Amino acid sequence: MARTAVLLVDAQNDFFPGGALPVPGGDAILPAVNALLELAGTRGWPVAASRDWHPEDHASFSTRGGPWPVHCVRGTAGAELHPGLALPPVFTMVHKATDRDRDAYSAFEGTGLAAALEERGIGRLLVGGLALDYCVRATCLDAREAGFEVALVLPATRAVEVHPGDGEAALEALRAAGVAVLAEVPR
Ligand code: VGL
Ligand code: ZN
């Protein structure tokens, strides 16, 4: 059976309430995310986490005509992982959207994540993080394309919903791509 890993997408201060690009109610994912991390610890599953890691003049920023406020500038407090995460002492971290002229929503885009997971015999991913309708969506779709089994833990993710309905649309697209959407943290 394929080995499982937990993949935590962009659980960074700027995407939580009080941050530069907050997901409304984003704090509500923390208990489920931590339950997922705890499960990883119990089962001996590796944990990987992505960070949105932009240069200060990134093309996605409104200051350059992009769609987003300045957020997750590499090296700033807003780009750090949320301090309330129960991360294990050792985990894999990848950084994405680091090119000033290109956005990248997926944690697989230009990060080497697929190879890093495959190298460790991982074939199945349990996913949580922010935001469901952008980076979590893109990450899960890329994971499927790369051949991983993917389960998204619903209470461990949340949509930013710039456009109402984007969260539901994301779930539909994910289910269509063969992503299992779990109503609870597995046990
Ligand atoms: C994200 C918007 C811009 C995300 C990143 O992590 O979902 N969304 N950059
Ligand atoms: Zn970004």
Side-chain angles (χ1 to χ4, degrees):
M1 211 175 80
R3 215 171 154 224
T4 300
V6 166
L7 175 56
L8 183 59
V9 178
D10 297 7
Q12 295 163 272
N13 290 323
D14 272 345
F15 295 124
F16 284 88
L21 177 41
V23 173
D27 283 342
I29 74 166
L30 287 170
V33 167
N34 285 338
L36 197 53
L37 292 169
E38 193 179 313
L39 183 70
T42 314
R43 302 283 173 90
W45 294 338
V47 172
S50 64
R51 289 197 294 190
D52 204 33
W53 199 248
H54 299 310
E56 65 189 2
D57 58 350
H58 191 251
S60 78
F61 296 167
S62 53
T63 47
R64 282 192 59 201
W68 305 112
V70 174
H71 66 279
C72 295
V73 173
R74 61 187 179 203
T76 64
E80 293 302 311
L81 295 176
H82 190 287
L85 297 166
L87 285 158
V90 176
F91 62 97
T92 298
M93 183 120 83
V94 295
H95 295 94
K96 65 183 181 58
T98 58
D99 284 6
R100 81 179 277 283
D101 293 325
R102 250 175 67 109
D103 210 356
Y105 290 143
S106 164
F108 288 92
E109 202 174 329
T111 61
L113 178 60
L117 295 171
E118 278 156 14
E119 211 166 77
R120 305 178 68 180
I122 290 153
R124 178 171 175 256
L125 298 174
L126 274 171
V127 182
L130 299 171
L132 167 60
D133 38 355
Y134 289 92
C135 291
V136 171
R137 173 186 174 135
T139 297
C140 289
L141 292 176
D142 271 3
R144 289 292 299 140
E145 280 202 13
F148 294 95
E149 256 181 76
V150 182
L152 174 64
V153 179
L154 203 49
T157 188
R158 196 142 176 134
V160 61
E161 298 226 314
V162 174
H163 313 287
D166 280 358
E168 262 316 309
L171 292 177
E172 237 172 81
L174 292 173
R175 288 191 182 102
V179 173
V181 177
L182 310 182
E184 291 174 31
V185 178
R187 27 174 299 165

